[in-house]
Amino acid sequence: MKKRMNVQKEIERLDPKADCQRIVFLTSYLEFPWDMTRALELALFRTFAVPSIAALLDRTGEFSNDTLRRYDDTSIIINEIMINGYYSERGGAFIKRMNRMHGQYDISNDDFLYTLSTFIYEPIRWINKFGWRTLYRNECLALYHFWSAVGERMRIQDIPPTYEAFEQWSLDYENKMFANTEATQRVANCTRDLLLSFYLPKSLWKTAEPAVYALMDEPLLKAMNYPLPSPATRRRVEAALRVRAKLMRLLPKHKNPQVMTFQQFPTHPDGYTVEDIGPKSLRDKWRQSA
């Protein structure tokens, strides 16, 4: 217990801007490792609800033809940046790799900006609803400053200057842009099935789909053309997550950061370097031009 209190006290005393890399690391890998992963998975779905983002992902074929590889590579980049920080040589290398991948496509600044916002606000909403404690103000602000700094290194323009302004911008963008398209459904269905495959045999996926939908809000469900879960289903799913939160409050917490290792990425069984990340077509192209 003393160790845990020390972690929380450290978070509270750190500056949310100057120390955002340290706060994000502690929050993500000591306090809420499971919740952070689930929240970032849900953040993926929010980006699919923007037709221009879904159309690009669908057009590349990455989510339909190599869903697990796309998921693993996305997880690796996010984890490398969050674990090592954007100032580190390793974190910077993965940001450069991400920029190089994105540079192959015509992506609007607003789509970049919206995607960035989901990395901030989806974890905050999830943890405040289902975590074993709510986030401190320091943690919320640290997520904003952390991802804003990453966004600057991605050359994203017009990042809103405050936590509240960025959240409002993100909500307004959803209201304006969320729409159902065939591309949205295809990339969302592939990702939904992949996430279900982590926990269940294929024969049970259909039965479990309502539980996935119960984690999504109505605007997102409509954009995905998914059925609204019954109030009873939503209550059961949320109750199960709140029971987990209560148990987590009672159980001993992690003493060491729960960082993901290469063994947890099936598409990289022998490990990876920064050059291994990205679609095969781009990796082959870059090797030929080297």
Side-chain angles (χ1 to χ4, degrees), residues 39-52:
L40 291 174
E41 288 171 348
L42 199 56
L44 276 177
F45 284 96
R46 302 203 82 80
T47 65
F48 302 157
V50 177
S52 52

Side-chain angles (χ1 to χ4, degrees), residues 97 99-106 275-290:
R97 186 66 167 186
N99 288 343
R100 193 176 187 189
M101 289 189 290
H102 289 158
Q104 306 296 311
Y105 308 108
D106 183 18
E275 289 78 16
D276 296 319
I277 305 304
K280 185 177 186 301
S281 59
L282 293 182
R283 286 183 280 122
D284 290 345
K285 176 183 175 182
W286 292 334
R287 288 192 184 102
Q288 291 170 6
S289 62

Side-chain angles (χ1 to χ4, degrees), residues 78-139:
I78 292 172
N79 276 280
E80 289 286 351
I81 298 170
M82 292 173 72
I83 291 168
N84 299 294
Y86 48 78
Y87 279 139
S88 71
E89 181 178 353
R90 189 170 178 86
F94 278 89
I95 292 174
K96 288 180 181 178
R97 186 66 167 186
M98 176 171 57
N99 288 343
R100 193 176 187 189
M101 289 189 290
H102 289 158
Q104 306 296 311
Y105 308 108
D106 183 18
I107 304 172
S108 74
N109 187 74
D110 279 356
D111 282 354
F112 272 129
L113 195 55
Y114 175 67
T115 301
L116 190 73
S117 76
T118 66
F119 294 158
I120 302 168
Y121 300 104
E122 203 58 36
I124 291 170
R125 292 172 192 137
W126 175 284
I127 293 170
N128 283 343
K129 191 172 185 179
F130 300 124
W132 61 272
R133 65 166 174 83
T134 57
L135 291 174
Y136 304 134
R137 176 69 172 170
N138 264 19
E139 291 172 300

Side-chain angles (χ1 to χ4, degrees), residues 137-233:
R137 176 69 172 170
N138 264 19
E139 291 172 300
C140 297
L141 292 176
L143 282 164
Y144 162 76
H145 288 298
F146 180 93
W147 286 111
S148 294
V150 173
E152 291 171 359
R153 287 157 175 77
M154 294 173 65
R155 297 184 289 277
I156 298 175
Q157 305 298 309
D158 303 319
I159 298 173
T162 67
Y163 172 93
E164 291 78 12
F166 201 0
E167 182 177 29
Q168 189 59 56
W169 184 94
S170 181
L171 293 171
D172 291 343
Y173 198 67
E174 290 184 356
N175 290 334
K176 180 174 67 175
M177 300 302 296
F178 271 20
N180 174 250
T181 66
E182 291 184 1
T184 291
Q185 289 182 250
R186 280 193 290 269
V187 294
N189 288 346
C190 288
T191 305
R192 177 202 62 198
D193 292 346
L194 174 67
L195 297 181
L196 287 170
S197 75
F198 293 162
Y199 305 100
L200 298 168
K202 190 172 183 178
S203 59
L204 295 178
W205 291 0
K206 200 69 179 175
T207 304
E209 282 179 13
V212 177
Y213 304 150
L215 298 173
M216 301 181 183
D217 56 69
E218 188 169 337
L220 183 58
L221 289 166
K222 287 182 176 179
M224 302 292 167
N225 199 30
Y226 287 158
L228 295 177
S230 69
T233 298

